[in-house]
Amino acid sequence: MRRRPRGGWVWLAWVLAVGVPGLGAQTLESTTTVYLVRHAERAQDDPSDPTLTPGGTERSALLARMLRDVPLTSVFSSDYRRTRLTAGPVAREHHLEIQLYDPRDEGLEALADRLRTTPGHHLVVGHSNTTPTLVEALGGDPRGGIAEDEYDRLYVVVLAGSAPPSSSLLRFGAPSTDGGER
């Protein structure tokens, strides 16, 4: 059986306090992590401002469970029922108010600027046409557009001081029903 070297936790604490090699002396306090999703599956109940389907409600609950242990600083949503309903379970889990943003171009740029200058962990719920744009505005790679029936993308964009942004694309919940390549 291999023994753990003594002082391993001290070394880890030092790395977290001083910074990760290659990132300079960046601390966790200056790191911004942004989680971005499109709203969950929308219902056909209102053509101008629909709610969520039962599957969309389940996906929203799953998102809240997935982010339960993330120390979220804020939750952002555009001012549509489907986005607010997607963000709601996460906001309630973290005892946060949903902050509304304008999903049009000027509003996305303003939100990107705000996120870049606000350390912490943030969730942004948007739309198929705005979420990839915001990922890109933050310096991440959206990996193409989001299909009309695609709801399972979870982007994670990490901004750590002067280091280049890093981004990941994860999938959560039931896969899209488009049957095509993603």
Side-chain angles (χ1 to χ4, degrees):
M1 178 163 115
R2 260 182 101 185
R3 290 182 49 187
R4 286 187 132 145
R6 289 182 175 232
W9 291 110
V10 173
W11 179 84
L12 177 60
W14 179 83
V15 167
L16 293 175
V18 175
V20 176
L23 292 180
Q26 299 301 323
T27 63
L28 292 178
E29 289 81 33
S30 67
T31 300
T32 300
T33 304
V34 185
Y35 304 86
L36 303 100
V37 296
R38 175 196 187 184
H39 59 78
E41 291 85 340
R42 68 173 174 262
Q44 301 299 317
D45 55 354
D46 181 347
S48 63
D49 195 13
T51 61
L52 298 178
T53 65
T57 300
E58 286 178 30
R59 187 179 304 276
S60 299
L62 174 60
L63 182 62
R65 287 191 306 275
M66 289 174 58
L67 298 177
R68 177 178 292 144
D69 294 325
V70 173
L72 285 178
T73 308
S74 57
V75 175
F76 293 92
S77 171
S78 64
D79 195 14
Y80 291 91
R81 287 194 300 180
R82 61 192 176 273
T83 52
R84 291 189 317 267
L85 289 169
T86 302
V90 176
R92 283 190 297 280
E93 177 74 30
H94 291 276
H95 308 288
L96 295 169
E97 293 291 322
I98 297 172
Q99 300 180 47
L100 300 178
Y101 72 92
D102 181 354
R104 293 178 293 230
D105 291 340
E106 313 81 43
L108 282 181
E109 270 307 314
L111 180 57
D113 290 342
R114 182 175 179 187
L115 291 167
R116 278 192 291 269
T117 59
T118 308
H121 297 264
H122 312 280
L123 170 65
V124 179
V125 180
H127 304 268
S128 62
N129 62 334
T130 62
T131 301
T133 302
L134 185 55
V135 168
E136 200 166 49
L138 292 170
D141 178 4
R143 299 198 189 164
I146 298 176
E148 191 60 30
D149 61 351
E150 184 178 4
Y151 299 95
D152 62 348
R153 288 190 187 197
L154 170 60
Y155 295 99
V156 181
V157 179
V158 179
L159 309 168
S162 60
S166 69
S167 63
S168 300
L169 171 58
L170 308 171
R171 302 288 178 162
F172 73 106
S176 298
T177 59
D178 63 0
E181 299 263 338
R182 288 189 267 163

